[in-house]
Amino acid sequence: MTLNELLQVVDKGTRIQVQLKMFGLDFKVSRYKEYLKEDETKELFDKEIKTVRTIVDEDICTLQIVLK
């Protein structure tokens, strides 16, 4: 499943944390679906999802996505 496919099935109230490893570093950002669709570049939408899990971040339940 790709990030774009996941964004098609979650509702707009879902907070999503996207994590990506580049250049040996982990980058992550927490946003709601609509902000991700507006802010992220198209290259991230086609990336495959490695891991999906639910976490509690700042007392908010978040869907954590780790991209390959």
Side-chain angles (χ1 to χ4, degrees):
M1 175 180 266
T2 65
L3 177 58
N4 188 43
E5 292 170 337
L6 179 78
L7 291 176
Q8 300 301 316
V9 297
V10 298
D11 67 4
K12 66 181 182 176
T14 302
R15 183 174 170 176
I16 302 170
Q17 181 185 84
V18 177
Q19 185 172 335
L20 176 66
K21 188 169 196 151
M22 287 178 35
F23 309 114
L25 300 171
D26 287 322
F27 296 94
K28 62 183 170 181
V29 63
S30 293
R31 296 281 187 265
Y32 289 95
K33 173 184 173 175
E34 296 304 315
Y35 292 111
L36 281 173
K37 289 175 73 175
E38 292 174 10
D39 292 344
E40 298 306 321
T41 61
K42 300 299 180 200
E43 292 85 25
L44 286 184
F45 289 143
D46 295 332
K47 291 221 177 259
E48 290 289 322
I49 295 173
K50 178 180 174 182
T51 306
V52 177
R53 62 181 157 237
T54 303
I55 61 169
V56 176
D57 183 28
E58 300 170 3
D59 295 329
I60 300 172
C61 191
T62 302
L63 187 64
Q64 184 184 52
I65 309 300
V66 180
L67 301 177
K68 290 184 183 178

